[in-house]
């Protein structure tokens, strides 16, 4: 069954507002509804496991857009993913050294959901960085940017969705 979808306008990073086209052609499977219900019932991160090309990331992005009206922030994991790919890094510009937020702090500060694609490709040391996202739904949570030391509040309704391929 295909639900009615509308265009949504939202910011993409800190640039001009962008029109998000509905993800037409995504066929709703029974497991899609289970994932939607699970996300509505819990603030805990969700892991979606499935074969490559089965629409895990597309479904996660669609649910994000449907729920929040915003594009998600995405981390595409590889074996080379490092701490700076998650948290950000120091950068040198004309005014000196500054810190440039990575995808995790960007998602938290903007209130946009985070999608971590192919988390199964991460080395164990990098996977451990996501353990602090195990949110307690009954108390306000702070996430530490381990690269800058900044403590970032988790916005209400914020969610992290992980996708993985079976090994």
């Amino acid at each position: 069954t295909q639900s009615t979808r509308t265009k949504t306008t939202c910011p993409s990073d800190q640039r001009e507002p962008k029109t998000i086209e509905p993800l037409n052609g995504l066929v709703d499977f029974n497991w899609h509804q289970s994932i939607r219900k699970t996300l509505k019932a819990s603030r805990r991160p969700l892991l979606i496991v499935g074969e490559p090309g089965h629409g895990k990331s597309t479904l996660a992005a669609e649910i994000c857009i449907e729920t929040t009206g915003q594009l998600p922030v995405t981390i595409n994991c590889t074996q080379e993913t490092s701490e700076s790919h998650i948290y950000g890094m120091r950068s040198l510009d004309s005014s000196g050294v500054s810190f440039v937020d990575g995808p995790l702090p960007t998602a938290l500060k903007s209130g946009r959901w985070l999608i971590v694609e192919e988390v199964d490709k991460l080395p164990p040391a990098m996977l451990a960085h996501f353990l602090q996202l195990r949110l307690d739904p009954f108390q306000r949570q702070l996430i530490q940017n381990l690269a800058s030391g900044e403590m970032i509040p988790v916005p209400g309704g914020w969610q992290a969705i992980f996708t993985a391929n079976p090994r």
Side-chain angles (χ1 to χ4, degrees):
T1 325
Q2 196 142 8
S3 59
T4 305
R5 297 184 176 101
T6 58
K7 288 185 180 179
T8 307
T9 301
C10 70
S12 174
D13 298 321
Q14 280 75 34
R15 297 183 202 120
E16 297 281 321
K18 177 181 177 182
T19 299
I20 302 171
E21 293 293 331
L23 301 174
N24 293 323
L26 182 66
V27 177
D28 282 335
F29 292 105
N30 289 337
W31 63 274
H32 290 185
Q33 293 307 319
S34 297
I35 289 172
R36 283 182 171 90
K37 288 178 187 174
T38 301
L39 281 170
K40 288 180 182 177
S42 174
R43 272 191 66 203
R44 298 194 187 276
L46 179 69
L47 173 63
I48 305 171
V49 179
E51 295 295 331
H54 282 202
K56 301 176 298 292
S57 298
T58 302
L59 175 64
E62 180 171 278
I63 292 170
C64 175
I65 293 166
E66 287 174 0
T67 305
T68 69
Q70 296 181 310
L71 290 170
V73 175
T74 303
I75 299 174
N76 295 300
C77 299
T78 68
Q79 291 180 337
E80 289 78 36
T81 299
S82 68
E83 190 174 286
S84 65
H85 295 116
I86 299 168
Y87 296 107
M89 66 183 107
R90 300 204 186 291
S91 176
L92 183 60
D93 59 25
S94 60
S95 61
V97 177
S98 61
F99 190 83
V100 178
D101 283 335
L104 177 56
T106 297
L108 290 166
K109 290 176 181 180
S110 66
R112 292 164 53 199
W113 286 11
L114 179 70
I115 297 176
V116 182
E117 295 183 345
E118 299 194 20
V119 71
D120 54 299
K121 291 185 178 179
L122 283 177
M126 288 299 103
L127 190 56
H129 287 283
F130 293 108
L131 292 176
Q132 66 175 328
L133 296 181
R134 296 175 297 163
L135 304 173
D136 181 344
F138 300 107
Q139 69 182 148
R140 184 173 168 89
Q141 182 86 22
L142 295 172
I143 299 294
Q144 184 177 17
N145 182 332
L146 297 179
S148 70
E150 178 183 16
M151 297 300 289
I152 306 168
V154 177
W158 187 82
Q159 183 61 268
I161 304 172
F162 297 83
T163 68
N165 298 316
R167 292 190 178 232

